[in-house]
Amino acid sequence: MDSQTSKSSQASQSPHTPHPPHMFQVDLRGLVDLLSHHLYSSPKVYLRELLQNAVDAVTARRAAEPDAPALVRLYPADGGLRVEDSGIGLTETDVHDLLATIGRSSKRAEGLQEARSDFLGQFGIGLLACFVVAERIRVVSRSARTPGAPPVEWTARDDGSYTVRTLPDSARPEPGTTVHLTARPGAAEWLAPERVLTLARDFGALLPYDVRVGEEPVTDLPAPWDRPHPSPASRRVALARHCHELFGFTPLDSIDLDVPLAGIRGVAYVLPAAVSPAQRATHRVHLKGMLLTERAEQLLPDWAFFVRCVLDTDSLRPTASRESLYEDETLAAVRDALGERIRSWLTGLAAGDPERLAAFLAVHHLGVKSLARHDREMLRTMLPWLPFETTDGQLSLEEFAQRHPVVHFTRTVEEYRQVAPIASAQGVGVVNGGYTYDGELVEALPSVRPGTVVAELDADTVTAHLDAVDPGEELALSGFLAAARAKLDPLGCDVVLRAFHPLSVPALHLDDRSARHEQARAAAEEQADDLWAGILGSLRGSAPRARLVLNHLNPLVRRIGSLKDPELIGTATESLYGQALLMAQRPLRPADSALLNRAFIGLLEWATHGEGDGR
C-alpha cells in the first residue's frame, strides 16, 4: 500500500466523516401497547377517534362545499364495525401520506388548512388508536377534492404491514370514507352494537352533524342549556333532570356558563351536599361538540369545589391523548372567566334571592369563605350571610360586629371551648376562629368594615374580665393557694382565684399557644438525654404559663378552700385541674392522664377511709 492509498484509507475511517442518516423503525405492536396502557385510559377512545375523523372529514368538505351532505353512520355487526361518512375523502397519494405515516395529521394536507379551526383533532394519531381493539383496519375512500380520482383501499394489520390499491368506481360511487374494523381477540365486546351505541351517544351527543348507529340517532341537539322553555322555573327543572342523568344528583341550583369570547356554553350544577375542599372536582368538557373528558380538574378555580360543570368549547387545547386539557394561558383565562361567572351568581343571590342563598350557604359556606379570603368585594357582599360560631350563637360577622364594640376571636377550636362559657357570662363576645378560613376572615373584617376593632382573645384578656376577689378573703386562703400552686407547678400551671359566672363552673383552665409550646418543650426536655436537655433548656422562654382559675363563687371551691390536710388539698386541686381540662375538651398529655387517674384514686381512698374502721 503506497502512502497515498494509506492516507485515503485513514481519511475514510476518520470519526469526522459524515455517515448517511438512518430512519427510525416503528414497532407498531409495541406502539399500540404503549397507547393502550399509557396514553389512553380505556379502549373506548377508539370510537371517539373514528367519530372525530369522520366529523373532521365532513367539516373539511363543507368548507369547500357548504351544501355537501353531513352524514356519519356506524354499523356494528358480526364482531366488527363499519363507519361511513360523507366527508372530503382521500386520494391514493393522501392515503400514502396520511394514513401510513404515524404522527402526520390530515389537517396538514393541502387545501384543508382554511378549515383547520373547525377540526376537533390536533394530533395525527387518528386511526392508529383503533388498533387498541382491532387487528385489521380497512379504509375505502373517494376524494371530493379530486373528483376524477378512483376510490382507493388501504388495509392495515396490527403487525405494521399495509396494502394500498385502487378500486373500480362502483366500490364507492360518492365521495366520502368507509372504515371497517375487525376485532382483535378479546376485544369483540368493544364492537358490540349496544356498546357502540352507548359510546357514540356519550362522545357525540353534541356533535353538529347527523350521526347514527344503524337507525338510532346519536346527537341530541340543541344542548340542554340552549333549549327553549316556557319559564325559568321549568328550565331549572329540566336542567336538574339533566344533572341527575349526567352526574347522579339533583342540584341545589344551576349556573349558566356563557363566555362568548372563549367560545364556551354550558352549565354548572351546585352540589346538594358539602364536600371537602381537598377533593378535586371533575367536570365534563366537550370540544366542538365531541366529549373530550369527564374528569377535567383544572377547569375552575380551587374555591369553586361545590359545583360540577358540563360545557362545550372551541378554544381550549386538548393534550395528546385528548382526554384532558392542556394547561396554558387560554385555560387560565377561561378558568378566571368561569370563576367570575360563579361569583356573579353568588352576588345575584345575595341581592335578589336571600332564601336560595341561605339554602346554599347552609351547605357550602366553606367554599364561599375560601373565595372571600382572597376577594374583598365578595367578603363585603357575603358579610350579612356567612355563618360563624360565636358566643351569641350562629351569627354573621356583620351582625356580631353590630353587637360588640370589640370582635374577639380565638385561633383554635380548643381555645374557644375553654373561654366561650365564661366569656359569654361576662358579656365578652368571642368568635370561634379555629375552623377553616374563619380566623383569616375575622382578621380581614376591618378592611371591609372600617372602624371595626378585632382582637385575638388570650388568657390574659379573659382573666382581666373576671372579677377580683376581696383581698381579705384571698389572704385568708393564702395557705390553700400556696399548696395548690405547689401541686400544679411541675405541670407548668399557675393557680389564681377569681369570681365569675356561671357559678356552676368551679375552675377554668386557660392557656395560649405560647404556653402550650413551653409545655411541649419542657416535656421534651424531661425525656431527652443530657445533650438535648441542655439544648432544650437553653430554649426556655419567658412565655406566660397556663393557669387554673378557681371560681370563688362556686360552693365546691369554697369547701375545698377550707381544707386543712395538705395531701387532701393536693388531691382536690388535681381533681379540679383534670375536670377543667376535660371541660375544655383539650387533648390530654400523658402527665395529665396520670394526674386524673391519681386524683380519682386519691378521692376514692379519702371517701372510703373511714369504712375500714367501722365508722
Side-chain angles (χ1 to χ4, degrees), residues 52 55-64 88 103-125 145 209 287-288 313-319 322:
Q52 185 165 294
V55 170
D56 283 349
V58 172
T59 300
R61 184 175 180 185
R62 283 206 151 186
I88 197 165
R104 181 176 294 176
S105 171
S106 60
K107 289 73 173 175
R108 302 170 187 154
E110 183 181 355
L112 302 186
Q113 283 289 349
E114 65 274 12
R116 183 174 183 185
S117 64
D118 293 326
F119 286 121
L120 303 176
Q122 297 294 326
F123 302 91
I125 296 175
R145 289 188 295 115
Y209 303 134
L287 182 60
K288 301 180 179 72
T313 176
D314 59 14
S315 64
L316 299 178
R317 285 178 58 195
T319 58
R322 287 196 287 269

Side-chain angles (χ1 to χ4, degrees), residues 243-503:
C243 176
H244 194 274
E245 294 171 354
L246 203 62
F247 294 115
F249 65 85
T250 300
L252 282 178
D253 206 349
S254 56
I255 308 168
D256 284 318
L257 302 178
D258 187 1
V259 187
L261 292 179
I264 285 177
R265 289 282 296 157
V267 62
Y269 293 116
V270 181
L271 291 165
V275 294
S276 167
Q279 178 180 333
R280 296 304 298 266
T282 55
H283 312 283
R284 287 176 64 96
V285 177
H286 296 255
L287 182 60
K288 301 180 179 72
M290 182 76 76
L291 178 65
L292 179 71
T293 178
E294 301 173 276
R295 300 185 301 277
E297 293 186 348
Q298 65 272 52
L299 188 64
L300 295 180
D302 290 340
W303 57 262
F305 55 82
F306 50 83
V307 298
R308 296 292 181 270
C309 296
V310 53
L311 56 83
D312 188 25
T313 176
D314 59 14
S315 64
L316 299 178
R317 285 178 58 195
T319 58
S321 66
R322 287 196 287 269
E323 293 188 293
S324 59
L325 297 171
Y326 189 82
E327 185 68 50
D328 57 10
E329 293 181 358
T330 302
L331 180 57
V334 165
R335 184 163 48 237
D336 291 342
L338 295 180
E340 182 58 37
R341 184 66 195 87
I342 296 173
R343 183 185 290 107
S344 298
W345 169 78
L346 283 170
T347 305
L349 286 187
D353 200 339
E355 289 185 3
R356 285 171 65 198
L357 178 63
F360 166 75
L361 290 178
V363 179
H364 295 299
H365 57 274
L366 200 60
V368 180
K369 286 180 178 179
S370 174
L371 168 60
R373 286 185 308 153
H374 307 293
D375 189 325
R376 290 293 179 260
E377 189 58 38
M378 180 56 62
L379 177 57
R380 184 179 291 107
T381 301
M382 291 292 121
L383 267 182
W385 309 103
L386 286 173
F388 288 78
E389 182 180 1
T390 78
T391 48
D392 294 350
Q394 286 285 333
L395 292 178
S396 70
L397 288 181
E398 176 68 28
E399 186 175 356
F400 188 83
Q402 290 173 359
R403 295 186 182 186
H404 298 277
V406 177
V407 178
H408 289 100
F409 74 101
T410 63
R411 292 193 181 276
T412 68
V413 175
E414 290 79 9
E415 290 172 356
Y416 178 80
R417 288 170 178 165
Q418 279 182 302
V419 303
I422 310 303
S424 179
Q426 304 303 122
V428 179
V430 184
V431 178
N432 185 353
Y435 294 117
T436 306
Y437 311 134
D438 284 9
E440 296 175 71
L441 294 178
V442 174
E443 289 185 291
L445 189 55
S447 68
V448 296
R449 197 178 187 276
T452 303
V453 179
V454 173
E456 182 178 354
L457 190 68
D458 55 21
D460 289 334
T461 303
V462 176
T463 305
H465 279 82
L466 303 180
D467 294 334
V469 177
D470 179 83
E473 294 185 32
E474 186 167 2
L475 182 61
L477 295 172
S478 58
F480 161 74
L481 293 175
R485 288 167 181 152
K487 194 67 176 179
L488 296 186
D489 184 69
L491 297 173
C493 183
D494 290 331
V495 177
V496 296
L497 187 66
R498 292 290 187 273
F500 56 86
H501 293 274
L503 302 180

Side-chain angles (χ1 to χ4, degrees), residues 48 81 350 397 510:
R48 184 194 62 200
L81 176 64
L397 288 181
L510 294 177

Side-chain angles (χ1 to χ4, degrees), residues 507-524:
L508 177 66
H509 182 270
L510 294 177
D511 64 3
D512 53 26
R513 283 170 295 164
S514 298
R516 288 195 291 275
H517 291 164
E518 176 61 21
Q519 288 178 342
R521 186 208 59 78

